[in-house]
Amino acid sequence: MTATPVSTDPAASAAPAAARTSAARTGGAFGPRQLLAALGPAARRLDPRHQLRTPVMFVVWVGALACTVLAVLHPSAFAWAIAAWLWATVLFANLAEAVAEGRGRAQADSLRRTRSTTVARRLRADGTEEEVAGTALAVGDLVVVEAGQTIPGDGDVVEGVASVDESAVTGESAPVIRESGGDRCAVTGGTRVLSDRVVVRITAKPGETFLDRMIALVEGSARQKTPNEIALDLLLAALTLVFLLAVVTLQPLAVYSGQPQPLVVLVALLVCLIPTTIGALLSAIGIAGMDRLVRRNVLALSGRAVEAAGDVDVLLLDKTGTITLGDRQAVGFVPAEGVGVEDLARAAQLSSLADETPEGRSVVVLAKDAHGLRGTTVAGATFVPFTAQTRMSGVDQPADGATPARQVRKGAASAVLAWVREHGGSPAADVARAVDEIAGSGGTPLVVAEAVDGAPARALGVVHLKDVVKPGMRARFDELRRMGIRTVMITGDNALTARAIGEEAGVDDVLAEATPEDKLALIRREQGEGRLVAMTGDGTNDAPALAQADVGVAMNTGTSAAKEAGNMVDLDSDPTKLIEIVAIGKQLLITRGALTTFSLANDVAKYFAILPAMFAALYPQLDALNVMRLHSPQSAVLSAVVFNALVIVALVPVALRGVRYRPAAAGALLRRNLLVYGVGGLVAPFVGIKLIDLVVALLPGF
């Protein structure tokens, strides 16, 4: 029986990668094509049920409807112009959200093209197989997947090891290894097995897979408002109510003064004074923040986590597989006295040919790279594979002409030194010192020994294994430090090894011999002191801590438990990606704050445009406030309404692209925000309204 993928086109698998690469290269460019594509969805959002979600824009919608009715009952060019531009204001607000969601929908479409409907090979209880549709799989089902077949659903490998093409999800063309019994057992539905055979236990229901959730999130349909958004919505609603009361009270005063104002003018004044700009762009800012994460191959399962990332104080990183490569690697040969380093390397390589562990393979690679040695054997040689019981591997070579019989062993220091004693030898003092020095530095010593033609065995030297720190880690941690984030490495290793790795990586602190309970306690302690904590991890033992952290970033290579516990998943499995996540979180907060500042500053300028125009005829003293010298009261009101609508469109690219974030102190960021967006928000309306007024003054009736 075989699984039958409906679509295994490599071009389709590469589609999301190309889409994300192109988007990243352009920075999410905003242009006329996007505007035109978003006009339809924006028009559909004129439905009052949709407008009710944003109180500020609902007030504008009601005002536009009221002005339209008034224009029908008492037609005039002024009334129709005000009504048209109020509808344009609502439409432009919808346009901002539609463009943001449209970009996510384009990514979702490319992801959908990678999904394939499969016929899965489900294992029965008696060990036989049956063909079922991938959509019929339930949580806990075991399915067999072989080379060339598509994995039918999210799950964990419970048997076997295979090379898997995950480019459909991650955009990374290089295959990855997935194997049972470790932290690299999780597989994603829609990815393809390239070699070997695995048995996968399904962990997600159809329609709730990782890819399904990713599609829903990038479309924006699964995005919930964050606490900060809700708080800002309440503030904007309160400001709207205050301005509504202020405008309502103006009419009795105007009537008392003998100059009642047309209802159209009052509606225009209300719309111009309430914070329509930020009200129109608020949703787009949040959607764009999630979109920027997806473009960097990070799936945020919570908008709240994106905001929290902008305020993170402490970052906890798991050592194995996060800061380090995860497998100990051979980094050097330390020969015994009287033994050449090349002789030691040759013996170590020969004795590692039957060692299939990552450590054994790294010894072979080091001997080849550092000394140009190739694995060669004598005919008739017997290989001794590595086992957990013996903790050694090696080779037995028979006598061949002038070459005597020889036994070579490599393995854990205690096991090989015991083998030396069993074969009549005694460990040399310099070998024992090398073992102690390597262990003391946080490394792992492997001893290489030989016994030639029945003579007493002797130790040839030591292979230095160490947990290799991933390239560029120190520079990334330095950057985090400049952001004001303290880094803590957490590991189950002993304190000596942990300290050595921590110093090499450049972290600020180390928690050694950590249990899952220790990680939880550390996070709760930091949170109890008022700090926001972020953590990256990939193992099942990391799941409780990932769930407790304010920002839990699970590696895509990790277990399903880790990915379910975190509120973000890094598809690239790069722990230092948190630097970009933090920057995006800060950018989101700064963008929202900057545009809120700009919006409120705008209202001050519009106040100077409309109020003098309304009452200057009655109170000539107010003409001093008409600093823009606008043409007439009607042109002043219409110019303010037109500017109010157009500024939303002008700021859509800023909302989507985000205000650029540079690592700096909070005070410096605040000063820059006030200078650029506060002062800019005051100046821009004066210039914009005056220019629009010059055009409006040329129209008949104004």
Side-chain angles (χ1 to χ4, degrees):
M1 295 183 184
T2 58
T4 310
V6 171
S7 172
T8 56
D9 183 4
S13 297
R20 285 192 289 268
T21 301
S22 175
R25 185 167 54 249
T26 61
F30 174 80
R33 183 175 298 178
Q34 287 178 293
L35 275 177
L36 290 174
L39 281 176
R44 288 193 290 273
R45 283 174 166 80
L46 291 174
D47 187 326
R49 291 170 295 183
H50 182 86
Q51 297 302 318
L52 272 170
R53 302 176 189 175
T54 309
V56 175
M57 298 316 300
F58 180 69
V59 170
V60 180
W61 185 91
V62 172
L65 183 62
C67 286
T68 303
V69 173
L70 290 171
V72 171
L73 296 177
H74 307 287
S76 68
F78 175 72
W80 278 113
I82 293 293
W85 279 101
L86 289 182
W87 282 118
T89 302
V90 180
L91 183 66
F92 292 161
N94 295 342
L95 196 66
E97 185 177 0
V99 169
E101 290 187 359
R103 297 199 310 172
R105 192 168 292 111
Q107 294 182 66
D109 289 341
S110 69
L111 288 171
R112 282 194 183 93
R113 287 194 292 270
T114 71
R115 291 197 301 187
S116 57
T117 302
T118 61
V119 175
R121 298 164 57 188
R122 183 167 62 187
L123 287 177
R124 298 189 182 97
D126 60 3
T128 59
E129 298 178 10
E130 61 176 337
E131 286 188 350
V132 298
T135 54
L137 293 173
V139 174
D141 283 349
L142 296 178
V143 296
V144 176
V145 191
E146 294 184 343
Q149 298 175 353
T150 300
I151 297 172
D154 292 0
D156 291 330
V157 176
V158 295
E159 180 184 319
V161 58
S163 175
V164 179
D165 175 12
E166 294 188 342
S167 60
V169 175
T170 67
E172 178 58 54
S173 58
V176 296
I177 300 299
R178 292 290 177 261
E179 56 188 344
S180 62
D183 290 343
R184 291 178 173 84
C185 63
V187 291
T188 305
T191 57
R192 194 157 55 97
V193 173
L194 299 178
S195 67
D196 302 294
R197 172 188 183 274
V198 289
V199 176
V200 177
R201 177 183 289 115
I202 299 299
T203 58
K205 298 177 182 177
E208 298 179 9
T209 65
F210 190 74
L211 200 56
D212 289 316
R213 286 189 293 166
M214 186 173 179
I215 289 170
L217 285 163
V218 299
E219 281 185 319
S221 59
R223 196 188 78 88
Q224 301 295 321
K225 286 190 175 182
T226 65
N228 281 350
E229 276 187 275
I230 294 171
L232 187 54
D233 266 338
L234 292 175
L235 173 63
L236 298 182
L239 288 174
T240 301
L241 181 60
V242 168
F243 283 120
L244 177 62
L245 294 175
V247 171
V248 168
T249 58
L250 280 178
Q251 185 69 330
L253 294 174
V255 171
Y256 177 77
S257 301
Q259 191 177 359
Q261 296 296 318
L263 186 57
V264 171
V265 173
L266 293 175
V267 171
L269 174 64
L270 174 63
V271 170
C272 289
L273 292 185
I274 62 177
T276 51
T277 305
I278 185 61
L281 299 174
L282 187 59
S283 181
I285 293 169
I287 294 172
M290 301 280 279
D291 174 71
R292 283 192 290 275
L293 274 179
V294 171
R295 291 171 188 272
R296 286 162 178 80
N297 271 6
V298 177
L299 178 60
L301 307 179
S302 162
R304 182 175 186 172
V306 183
E307 288 186 347
D311 291 324
V312 161
D313 302 296
V314 182
L315 168 60
L316 309 183
L317 301 110
D318 185 45
K319 176 184 75 70
T320 305
T322 303
I323 292 177
T324 65
L325 293 175
D327 296 319
R328 292 170 299 174
Q329 304 287 307
V331 296
F333 298 109
V334 182
E337 186 175 348
V339 178
V341 65
E342 190 167 309
D343 293 333
L344 171 61
R346 184 175 287 104
Q349 184 186 63
L350 190 62
S351 59
S352 299
L353 294 177
D355 185 354
E356 294 299 324
T357 65
E359 292 86 352
R361 291 194 293 269
S362 74
V363 173
V364 175
V365 171
L366 179 64
K368 182 181 70 174
D369 292 346
H371 300 281
L373 301 176
R374 300 283 177 176
T376 58
T377 60
V378 176
T382 302
F383 286 101
V384 179
F386 175 87
T387 66
Q389 290 74 31
T390 63
R391 296 189 298 157
M392 291 188 298
S393 64
V395 64
D396 295 339
Q397 293 179 308
D400 181 18
T403 304
R406 181 188 185 210
Q407 292 178 292
V408 184
R409 295 293 185 272
K410 177 227 68 192
S414 58
V416 175
L417 292 177
W419 181 85
V420 169
R421 294 188 190 95
E422 291 173 5
H423 289 73
S426 58
D430 58 334
V431 172
R433 281 196 304 273
V435 168
D436 292 339
E437 288 173 2
I438 291 171
S441 69
T444 301
L446 298 180
V447 174
V448 181
E450 70 171 0
V452 180
D453 199 18
R458 62 167 183 158
L460 299 176
V462 184
V463 180
H464 185 179
L465 293 182
K466 64 180 296 186
D467 211 353
V468 178
V469 174
K470 291 182 178 179
M473 294 299 292
R474 177 174 286 276
R476 303 302 295 270
F477 289 142
D478 288 342
E479 189 174 346
L480 284 169
R481 202 170 291 113
R482 286 194 296 274
M483 289 182 176
I485 299 173
R486 184 167 62 91
T487 53
V488 181
M489 184 185 79
I490 47 181
T491 176
D493 287 346
N494 62 71
L496 200 61
T497 300
R499 188 161 54 250
I501 294 292
E503 289 175 358
E504 183 180 352
V507 297
D508 296 313
D509 204 354
V510 172
L511 177 65
E513 300 178 358
T515 64
E517 292 76 16
D518 293 332
K519 298 175 188 179
L520 265 180
L522 175 61
I523 292 173
R524 287 171 177 164
R525 184 167 65 250
E526 296 286 353
Q527 290 172 332
E529 295 173 1
R531 301 185 185 95
L532 288 183
V533 180
M535 175 175 172
T536 62
D538 58 359
T540 301
N541 63 336
D542 295 324
L546 287 170
Q548 177 67 35
D550 299 284
V551 180
V553 184
M555 301 294 102
N556 190 44
T557 56
T559 61
S560 295
K563 290 195 282 189
E564 288 295 328
N567 47 27
M568 290 188 186
V569 178
D570 176 18
L571 303 180
D572 295 328
S573 299
D574 175 9
T576 62
K577 184 73 70 68
L578 193 76
I579 294 175
E580 295 176 52
I581 294 172
V582 169
I584 290 170
K586 289 183 180 295
Q587 185 181 39
L588 174 67
L589 297 176
I590 290 171
T591 301
R592 189 181 294 151
L595 294 185
T596 300
T597 303
F598 187 90
S599 179
L600 296 179
N602 260 247
D603 294 339
V604 177
K606 287 178 282 188
Y607 169 89
F608 279 95
I610 295 181
L611 283 185
M614 291 173 62
F615 296 105
L618 183 64
Y619 301 105
Q621 300 89 336
L622 289 177
D623 191 56
L625 297 178
N626 186 14
V627 294
M628 289 178 274
R629 295 295 151 201
L630 301 179
H631 179 264
S632 68
Q634 286 188 326
S635 73
V637 173
L638 180 58
S639 297
V641 171
V642 172
F643 176 83
N644 192 63
L646 294 181
V647 76
I648 294 173
V649 178
L651 291 176
V652 168
V654 179
L656 298 182
R657 188 171 54 246
V659 176
R660 185 177 179 183
Y661 166 70
R662 297 184 182 90
L669 292 174
L670 179 61
R671 285 192 298 272
R672 176 175 173 268
N673 182 38
L674 291 175
L675 180 63
V676 176
Y677 293 93
V679 176
L682 284 172
V683 174
F686 282 96
V687 177
I689 291 173
K690 178 59 179 178
L691 292 175
I692 295 171
D693 179 73
L694 293 175
V695 176
V696 171
L698 301 176
L699 301 176
F702 293 93

